[in-house]
Amino acid sequence: MNELTTYGLAKTVYFKHTDQELSNLLRSGDGSAFKELYDRYWDVLLDTAFKRLGSIEQAEELVQDIFVNLFVKRENLVIESSFEGYLKNALKFKIFDFFRHQASHNKYVENLLKGLHERTISPEEALQIKELKERIDKTIQNIPEKCREVYLMSRVEHISNRMIAKKLGISVSTVEKHINKATNILKKDFGRYYFEVIALILCIY
């Protein structure tokens, strides 16, 4: 019996296991049981996450985190309801944390902008802000035209991905790709100052 045949038989055996049986095997460190559970529930969780977040990249990241945590903590795995219920509950908390982080970030940007508008800025700070604005403008202008247009519509005008897609006659996934590309360019240029840069972009454009 060759290796491929052996793998096929093993997969068939695991496919026949219930979720409870697979979770028990996973608890003992069975990697094939984990793979079967991953294949069984990845699409279900991804679909749910995408509907809540509207971004396939963010949805994939959250679902991946859930499975990584599941494998890391497999020895202490305790499931009181169904395995599907356990995963969906984990996803619910992941999505909650994501939106809580977003709300916290939005508040941070709001306070930063308020500070820029209300407090007295020293000549040195004014010069630094001017130079940073010039650098931001240069980076923005170097982003491919369509990518830049989509990014500004999303981040400055706060237009939804679906509406941007409709306005520009492109798919939602293409909108997401443009936003991700522009975000990566800005993060590469400004690193940990990315959020401060976003605040200044709101002032510039």
Side-chain angles (χ1 to χ4, degrees):
M1 186 179 294
N2 62 37
E3 210 172 298
L4 186 59
T5 303
T6 303
Y7 172 77
L9 288 173
K11 186 171 178 59
T12 301
V13 170
Y14 280 93
F15 181 76
K16 292 179 179 179
H17 282 314
T18 65
D19 288 352
Q20 183 61 52
E21 289 170 337
L22 289 170
S23 62
N24 289 338
L25 290 168
L26 172 60
R27 195 179 297 113
S28 63
D30 191 320
S32 295
F34 173 78
K35 180 66 167 58
E36 175 60 33
L37 289 166
Y38 182 96
D39 291 342
R40 197 173 286 187
Y41 288 108
W42 171 267
D43 288 340
V44 174
L45 294 183
L46 185 63
D47 182 60
T48 301
F50 178 69
K51 286 177 180 177
R52 301 291 187 276
L53 302 175
S55 166
I56 190 64
E57 184 180 66
Q58 291 169 340
E60 286 177 343
E61 186 175 334
L62 260 62
V63 175
Q64 190 68 44
D65 281 349
I66 287 172
F67 280 106
V68 168
N69 289 335
L70 178 67
F71 188 77
V72 170
K73 299 177 180 178
R74 62 190 181 280
E75 293 180 1
N76 300 314
L77 185 63
V78 176
I79 299 177
E80 297 178 351
S81 57
S82 68
F83 190 80
E84 183 176 3
Y86 172 85
L87 290 177
K88 287 185 174 179
N89 195 49
L91 179 61
K92 180 178 70 174
F93 284 109
K94 276 285 183 184
I95 292 173
F96 175 78
D97 284 342
F98 173 82
F99 282 118
R100 184 173 60 180
H101 174 76
Q102 286 293 96
S104 176
H105 165 60
N106 291 340
K107 189 67 177 177
Y108 166 77
V109 171
E110 180 185 322
N111 290 336
L112 180 61
L113 287 171
K114 185 178 179 181
L116 286 174
H117 287 302
E118 293 183 357
R119 72 181 179 85
T120 302
I121 299 175
S122 70
E124 292 80 10
E125 288 177 316
L127 179 60
Q128 289 175 350
I129 290 173
K130 179 176 179 295
E131 291 174 347
L132 182 56
K133 283 183 176 180
E134 289 173 353
R135 184 181 166 193
I136 292 170
D137 190 56
K138 183 178 179 181
T139 299
I140 289 289
Q141 294 308 316
N142 285 334
I143 294 174
E145 183 179 354
K146 182 63 70 174
C147 188
R148 179 175 67 247
E149 181 183 12
V150 169
Y151 184 82
L152 294 176
M153 288 174 74
S154 172
R155 296 300 187 260
V156 178
E157 299 177 45
H158 303 294
I159 300 175
S160 70
N161 291 0
R162 195 171 298 280
M163 185 58 68
I164 293 172
K166 186 176 180 181
K167 281 177 175 285
L168 300 181
I170 57 180
S171 68
V172 174
S173 63
T174 299
V175 170
E176 291 172 352
K177 287 177 183 177
H178 282 314
I179 293 172
N180 291 334
K181 184 174 182 178
T183 298
N184 289 334
I185 290 172
L186 287 165
K187 284 184 175 179
K188 182 180 179 181
D189 279 7
F190 297 100
R192 65 190 182 89
Y193 297 105
Y194 172 72
F195 291 129
E196 287 86 343
V197 166
I198 294 303
L200 285 173
I201 286 175
L202 295 175
C203 294
I204 297 170
Y205 290 91

